Amino acid sequence: MAGDWSSSSSTAAKGVARRLARHHQAVLGFLLGFFVSVVLYTTVSGLLRFTNTLVILQPTPGERTEQSARTAPPLVFSTPNHSTEVNDAGGKLDEVLIRQELGQEGDGNNRSNVKHGAPRKPICDLSDPRYAICEISGDARAIGANSTVYHVPPADEHGPDGLEWAIRDQSRKDLGYIDKVNVKTLSAAQSRVAPECTSRHAVPAIVFAMNGLTSNPWHDFSDVLIPLFITTRAYDGEIQFLVTDLRPWFVDKYRLILTNLSRYDIVDFNKDTGVRCYPHIVVGLRSHGDLSIDPARAPHNYTMLDFRMYIRDVFSLPPEDQGIPYKEANKKNKNGGTSMEEQKPRLMLINRAGIRKFVNLPEISAAVQAAGFEVLIMEPLRDMRLEEFSRQVDSCDVLMGAHGAALTSFFFLRTNAVMLQVVPWGLEREAMSYFGVHAKDMMLQDIEYSITVEESTLYEKYGKDHLAVRDPEALRKQGWQLLRKYLWDEQDIRLNVTRFTPTLHQLL
Ligand SMILES: *[C@@H]1O[C@H](CO)[C@@H](O)[C@H](O)[C@H]1NC(C)=O
Ligand SMILES: *[C@@H]1O[C@H](CO)[C@@H](O)[C@H](O)[C@H]1NC(C)=O
Ligand SMILES: *[C@@H]1O[C@H](CO)[C@@H](O)[C@H](O)[C@H]1NC(C)=O
Ligand SMILES: *[C@@H]1O[C@H](CO)[C@@H](O)[C@H](O)[C@H]1NC(C)=O
Ligand SMILES: *[C@@H]1O[C@H](CO)[C@@H](O)[C@H](O)[C@H]1NC(C)=O
Ligand SMILES: *[C@@H]1O[C@H](CO)[C@@H](O)[C@H](O)[C@H]1NC(C)=O
């Protein structure tokens, strides 16, 4: 079974790795500023490659019909008194419901306040150190072609001046790759000439970017999918995605998650020429930190454990109290036989193709088998079909790999399954903060095997006197560029299976 997908595209993997390596050099300079936040996963980024030949998602006529059927009678935006009334009946009610969903009722959304022109909650909130977000309610109009979202306030709320913001519509407000989206609230004079709606929608919309550091699964989840979950899960699918820098591979790879979070077609916002009108538009994605959810700030107090369970649900993995399918099948076939085969725990061994690879993979695989495990070897590929892959991970008791983005597939593991992280020389801190703590948060067992310097290829490449070999903490103090060059990018792993075997026995 492992062979099916492990052998399939190693050539492709090498091509990707080469491209990524080139790209990696191009972006190095760019990343200089953000030590902790941005950088650490570099097998990344969809920046260079999309030709956009795969899918161009545009709303279908069906979507419009369905949506307008749920809409109040068409609004006439040039007569503000009418639109206010209708919004009060429809849009504001939606907004109240949404705010209740999000646990934000009472914070400035007092309808009588709004009517009497008292200060409203600001549309854009730039206060979080990590992300910026705008929420527009009432009459919100999105024009993809010029990346602008307008708020057309009701007549009695117009200020003399429009306000304007420009924010990056992903979860990292400092990530320079993300183009900014403009958010403008119109003055009375501007409202009279506001762009007219070409389509109207009854549900809210959210504008967010799919580029940035995506294509590395850690970033796919940390920068987009978890923030999208935090920001939109409470809408229960009743929200439309207006995506800037749409990445067809991303839509395809994560379509089970995306179609669960939104029932509506995804709009390729940069190519959208209409003026889309919604009762509510969110611009940007909230994030609570790297690969995390802070229950105190999340709707329904979601946790990372909830997120893992949600992912398992969305991928239709069996309930955790149900036996692992292949083991159950073995039991039935053997008809009660006590063959050891069926009892063997299964370990998925991640075979990284590029940096931080195991140079003695066959030896490691043999040692794992000798210790009593069945081994599945998996090569992470960006365009991997997650449906089948998630079932493979679900069937494993242990997910083992060198520190790196492929460990992000730990979302598919069952409660109490083990993430066995092989920690490259000098990277204990990163191993814990990027994976270890999150595994624990999700009720997985987190085991780290920290290699000795002799197990790092840095030792044979640079000799025992090189700073990276002798004192990685001192190297770290000289700045992340060096840390990255040696510990992240130049280091491969030759696992000492004699030293490693007791860790395997400990797992059993
Ligand atoms: C707007 O208000 C005026 C005056 O109250 C009224 O005559 C008019 O019919 C209203 N327009 C709409 C479209 O309701
Ligand atoms: C809403 O505002 C009005 C007038 O400012 C005030 O009397 C009322 O108590 C407020 N309601 C809530 C629920 O805050
Ligand atoms: C944005 O698009 C609208 C409609 O296509 C157009 O009228 C307007 O001039 C554009 N604004 C900018 C700043 O490009
Ligand atoms: C999304 O997934 C959840 C959990 O599996 C499910 O309850 C819900 O109905 C799904 N929503 C949509 C819109 O598919
Ligand atoms: C969510 O967490 C906050 C802060 O810890 C708490 O005040 C609130 O009651 C919680 N809400 C729910 C629904 O559990
Ligand atoms: C491998 O580990 C064992 C046990 O820790 C140790 O005795 C041996 O010297 C190591 N082998 C190498 C090549 O470092």
Side-chain angles (χ1 to χ4, degrees):
M1 236 193 250
D4 288 349
W5 37 276
S6 65
S7 61
S8 56
S9 6
S10 57
T11 333
K14 280 175 201 139
V16 168
R18 266 199 306 275
R19 238 171 10 205
L20 289 173
R22 272 203 304 276
H23 171 223
H24 161 60
Q25 298 195 331
V27 299
L28 244 171
F30 216 131
L31 291 174
L32 239 164
F34 336 121
F35 173 65
V36 179
S37 56
V38 180
V39 195
L40 299 167
Y41 295 82
T42 49
T43 46
V44 277
S45 183
L47 282 176
L48 295 181
R49 45 204 112 98
F50 272 93
T51 50
N52 272 340
T53 47
L54 293 179
V55 209
I56 296 165
L57 294 158
Q58 295 289 355
T60 59
E63 175 213 8
R64 282 192 194 173
T65 318
E66 185 192 339
Q67 291 193 359
S68 40
R70 305 146 134 276
T71 319
L75 315 183
V76 183
F77 283 92
S78 52
T79 56
N81 57 343
H82 188 208
S83 69
T84 309
E85 279 171 30
V86 176
N87 276 340
D88 275 348
K92 283 274 164 32
L93 183 61
D94 275 359
E95 181 189 355
V96 170
L97 290 176
I98 289 155
R99 287 191 181 278
Q100 282 170 352
E101 274 290 290
L102 296 175
Q104 293 176 349
E105 60 269 65
D107 58 352
N109 188 42
N110 184 327
R111 286 176 64 188
S112 46
N113 271 344
V114 168
K115 279 211 163 134
H116 293 102
R120 346 172 2 118
K121 193 176 165 194
I123 282 181
C124 292
D125 180 357
L126 313 181
S127 64
D128 193 278
R130 193 174 176 102
Y131 65 87
I133 194 143
C134 307
E135 299 237 13
I136 301 143
S137 291
D139 179 354
R141 307 185 191 186
I143 305 180
N146 54 16
S147 281
T148 303
V149 177
Y150 293 104
H151 175 224
V152 185
D156 55 358
E157 271 186 56
H158 286 305
D161 300 310
L163 295 171
E164 279 192 43
W165 295 263
I167 70 157
R168 299 188 208 282
D169 55 337
Q170 210 182 63
S171 60
R172 292 165 180 263
K173 65 184 183 185
D174 298 324
L175 189 58
Y177 307 122
I178 311 284
D179 289 336
K180 291 183 173 175
V181 172
N182 305 304
V183 175
K184 300 183 181 177
T185 171
L186 299 184
S187 66
Q190 291 166 327
S191 291
R192 278 192 288 276
V193 294
E196 298 227 19
C197 302
T198 57
S199 67
R200 303 175 206 286
H201 308 269
V203 296
I206 180 167
V207 181
F208 68 93
M210 258 178 203
N211 62 330
L213 297 173
T214 53
S215 94
N216 161 311
W218 191 91
H219 282 289
D220 296 346
F221 278 90
S222 189
D223 298 355
V224 179
L225 294 167
I226 294 173
L228 193 61
F229 175 86
I230 293 172
T231 315
T232 68
R233 176 68 188 106
Y235 293 93
D236 203 17
E238 292 299 321
I239 185 165
Q240 182 159 42
F241 295 163
L242 311 180
V243 176
T244 58
D245 285 291
L246 187 139
R247 295 289 185 256
W249 69 264
F250 190 100
V251 172
D252 191 42
K253 180 169 184 177
Y254 297 113
R255 80 197 137 80
L256 290 178
I257 301 170
L258 297 173
T259 56
N260 179 273
L261 291 174
S262 167
R263 281 178 218 284
Y264 301 94
D265 285 350
I266 293 175
V267 176
D268 185 342
F269 199 46
N270 304 95
K271 297 212 177 94
D272 195 60
T273 51
V275 179
R276 308 179 137 261
C277 295
Y278 295 90
H280 187 83
I281 298 181
V282 181
V283 181
L285 294 174
R286 294 189 178 82
S287 164
H288 300 161
D290 290 343
L291 222 62
S292 345
I293 300 177
D294 171 6
R297 290 193 282 158
H300 303 305
N301 294 36
Y302 291 128
T303 62
M304 281 300 286
L305 176 61
D306 293 328
F307 182 75
R308 180 169 63 78
M309 293 305 185
Y310 169 78
I311 292 295
R312 291 184 53 90
D313 258 6
V314 163
F315 279 84
S316 306
L317 297 178
E320 291 201 337
D321 53 10
Q322 216 170 74
I324 292 176
Y326 88 99
K327 289 190 178 170
E328 295 300 306
N330 278 358
K331 269 185 206 156
K332 282 204 194 94
N333 293 345
K334 300 236 165 79
N335 203 13
T338 53
S339 150
M340 284 308 288
E341 266 320 293
E342 84 208 33
Q343 305 302 338
K344 273 191 185 171
R346 197 180 252 196
L347 180 149
M348 179 173 286
L349 179 54
I350 297 167
N351 179 24
R352 291 175 61 93
I355 51 179
R356 277 167 276 138
K357 63 178 168 298
F358 292 125
V359 296
N360 59 338
L361 189 83
E363 193 189 357
I364 299 169
S365 171
V368 172
Q369 282 168 294
F373 290 87
E374 183 191 348
V375 181
L376 290 188
I377 294 183
M378 100 69 162
E379 294 186 7
L381 294 173
R382 192 190 66 182
D383 296 320
M384 190 157 69
R385 301 305 300 179
L386 288 184
E387 287 82 347
E388 171 59 13
F389 176 63
S390 66
R391 278 187 282 282
Q392 300 283 357
V393 178
D394 171 62
S395 78
C396 289
D397 304 276
V398 182
L399 176 68
M400 169 181 170
H403 175 69
L407 287 176
T408 314
S409 34
F410 61 179
F411 293 120
F412 302 126
L413 288 171
R414 296 180 175 220
T415 300
N416 285 328
V418 176
M419 181 191 68
L420 170 51
Q421 183 173 205
V422 175
V423 184
W425 179 242
L427 291 179
E428 278 81 6
R429 204 178 298 178
E430 286 76 12
M432 276 319 283
S433 65
Y434 291 96
F435 292 100
V437 295
H438 309 298
K440 289 191 185 112
D441 273 358
M442 298 190 296
M443 289 181 67
L444 302 172
Q445 295 185 56
D446 165 48
I447 307 251
E448 259 84 45
Y449 173 83
S450 293
I451 68 169
T452 60
V453 71
E454 291 83 6
E455 293 170 280
S456 167
T457 56
L458 289 175
Y459 187 79
E460 59 202 43
K461 265 194 211 164
Y462 294 104
K464 65 178 167 36
D465 294 328
H466 191 280
L467 190 61
V469 172
R470 186 162 46 84
D471 191 351
E473 282 310 300
L475 181 79
R476 184 185 287 276
K477 292 201 184 82
Q478 297 190 357
W480 72 266
Q481 267 188 309
L482 284 180
L483 180 90
R484 174 197 189 92
K485 168 172 157 54
Y486 291 109
L487 304 186
W488 286 80
D489 293 354
E490 297 217 349
Q491 164 163 223
D492 289 325
I493 295 167
R494 176 172 288 112
L495 214 59
N496 176 342
V497 296
T498 314
R499 180 170 175 266
F500 178 62
T501 298
T503 304
L504 292 170
H505 288 149
Q506 177 199 336
L507 292 179
L508 296 166

